[in-house]
Amino acid sequence: MIRRCFFRVLILTCLGIISWLHLSAPLMAQEPDVLPGTQRLTLEGDIASHLVSGVDRFLLREVETSAERRLARWKPDTSSLEAYQRWLEPRRNRLAHILGVRDPRASVPALEYQATTREPALLARGPQYEVHLVRWPAFGDVHGEGLLLVPVNREPLANVVAIPDADQTPEQLAGLQAGLPPDSQVARRLAESGCRVVVPALLSRKLEPRNGRAVLTHREFIYRSAYELGRHILGYEIQKVLAVVDWFTTESQLRANNAAKASPRIGLVGYGEGGLIALYAAALDPRIQSVCVGGCFGDRRDVWRQPVDRNVFGLLEDFGDAEVAAMILPRQIVVEACKAPEVTLPGSGGAPGRLITPPLSEVEAECARARRLAGPFARTRKPDGSEQDNLIVVGQPDLSFNASAQALTAFLQPFGVLDRVEELPKLLRSLPDAEARQRRQLHELDRHNQWLLSESPYVRQQFIKPLWEAAKSLESYEKEAERYRRIFAEEVIGRFDYPLLPANPRTRKLFDEPKWTGYEVVLDVYPDVIAYGILLLPKRMKGDEKRPVVVCQHGLEGRPVETITGDHPAYHDFAAKLAERGFITFSPQNLYIFGDRFRTLQRKANPIQKTLFSVIVPQHQQIVNWLKTLPNVDGERIGFYGLSYGGKSAMRIPPLVKEYCLSICSADFNEWVWKNASSRSPYSYVFTGEYEIFEFDLGSTFNYAEMAALIAPRPFMVERGHFDGVAPDETVAYEFAKVRHLYQARLGLGDRVAIEWFVGPHTIHGKGTFEFLHRHLRWPEPR
């Protein structure tokens, strides 16, 4: 009996010890608060907000130093005027490219009078000139419209295009409609002096709801589709002006009856938006002998604050206003420092923006910079031996004095003198319907954008053809794909040529769950730029065991924690579920959070030929570099899985971060160019508040099929819910069919490409994609 009791006590004691050891194991093997080999993360507050603010500072520095970068590349050959012009030629081509001046201009044998059965084209008559309503073919099916002021019984002193601001009418410049003081009625003043003048109507800044959704100006509405297709509202209006210059040239040659020796006197005058168009047009076309611009010239580095229809991709990398002016010299430039159009756009779905008057000191400083850039061509030696400044600044320190008469006098100097006649022209019929004219212009430009969209698949086919043809072997394909990846990195995404900083990892434990531990991680990338995310490490990994990693990317306005906990309706804790399956996961914080705060980052990046992904890509490069240093990470098995804006990331990051051995695009893959450029589809971004979403010239280069070709031959998958509001099934299938053709028919790698359709909305489904990850990351599925 004693022995039996002794053994019972012994067994109970052992069971108690075992039970105590089991219960206390988590405490005894508790995961460290800081990952080994890292410093403690002490950053407090909203780290995502710190991240966005740091990138903002970084981009503002890049914008600020853009003039220095331009100066370092400005090495002209000034040995002769001919040599200087040859040196400028590729810069003219570059400026034309980024402004979207690409479409062949129509032949303009004559302007067309706009008359009806009720009213003639002759609108008004002034002292020794007439005013006619006209239009002219510009490019495609697009026409310019406006006024022609033509001298009567005399040869034109000069041929001038007088370009109003976007919110002015041609009739105001001709003195036929109220709104401008007499000295600012530049078309009338020039016609009185004997000039033949064409005044085009510009698209206005009128705000309207588009398709019942975002409130956009007419200009932003056209800009959005055009930008995606490699065109620009500024380029379209430059083309309309240059079509008139073509007509002036033809007319002058006919009048001279000797085309070889004809030298037409052609000038441009512009104010506000019209001044900007005149400046760029004169830089592009050496036929323009004199240009006068007002209310627009200055330091272009604040372009990101201006209306988005002035956003030109890469402008500040090559062209401030001084560089553009230097491209015009030694032809004459008159810069009128006057009160600019002052505009504030609220951003009711469209991009917020403002226009303010540049101070006289800023205008003069930019003109001084232009003179230095042009060197000997900033001045011209006159026959009497004296020198003449070819860049003339007219204005007053307080900018309150209306200097138009002084500016026009200087502008006409190469051609003649400015007359002063106080008599206004007399109307001979009713004024044209300005609103109807705006509607026609809007319709024609929108139709041109949509025609370009319909042609864009054929343009992309030609662009990508060498890569498709290289798919005869993996070796030749990879070699050619590298060339396209460089184009994608430099011309579409934009790449900073800076080395990554030492990562200096900082971590702290955030989660301690039964199957995994979560750590917040911050890494340095560039000065002021950090990468941030949450690392999930499965528990009970062996010391030398190597596991695959899935980088789990959130969508718009998302946060890493939403991919882990809380059962967000879009993410369903997919990072945590993958960790429970044995994958290491990392959920990064991408930049697209805080509304206008991140959207204005795109505005700051675009003028220096960068995008949000110019920062996001190096952030991810630093992330994978660091992940590869972790003892349990297999650096050859790191995959990317992103939803929505994270799916957009899945198409843009893995092509350039080669450590991602596969990519899964969830709830985003579709005919992306169509989604961004269509003004017919209800799915289109043209009608929404995502004003940062548009990427320059994707229509001619990389749609999603072409981006997927840069991921190939690595595995690629699409996850698609039938009721996802991103796009209809048919556009997803259309674009994916091209990807499937590449992998299966050309590369013979059909097992590396997949799409899963499921009945559901904009969400992670986590069925076929999880199987895809297990298979291609070579990790066994749970039993």
Side-chain angles (χ1 to χ4, degrees), residues 625-640:
N625 290 352
W626 177 74
L627 286 171
K628 289 166 63 176
T629 69
L630 300 183
N632 294 115
V633 166
D634 183 346
E636 301 299 314
R637 291 185 290 163
I638 304 177
F640 189 100

Side-chain angles (χ1 to χ4, degrees), residues 33-36 38-42 505-509 519-523 535 626:
D33 289 337
V34 177
L35 280 175
T38 71
Q39 299 178 44
R40 179 174 296 278
L41 175 60
T42 59
R506 285 89 77 198
T507 64
R508 65 185 169 212
K509 188 164 63 176
Y519 292 88
E520 287 186 293
V521 180
V522 171
L523 308 171
L535 175 74
W626 177 74

Side-chain angles (χ1 to χ4, degrees), residues 447-458:
R447 288 304 89 200
H448 185 73
N449 281 341
Q450 299 312 298
W451 176 79
L452 289 172
L453 176 59
S454 70
E455 288 294 306
S456 66
Y458 307 105

Side-chain angles (χ1 to χ4, degrees), residues 20 29 41 346 416 476 501 560 566 631 659 705:
W20 178 83
L41 175 60
S476 63
L501 294 175
E659 287 81 358

Side-chain angles (χ1 to χ4, degrees), residues 68 77 154 230 288 336-337 343 354 408 494 530 548 581 648:
E68 297 171 17
D77 182 349
R154 61 188 292 190
I288 296 161
E336 184 182 10
V343 175
R354 65 172 190 177
L408 289 179
I530 60 171
R581 288 170 169 257
K648 178 180 164 74

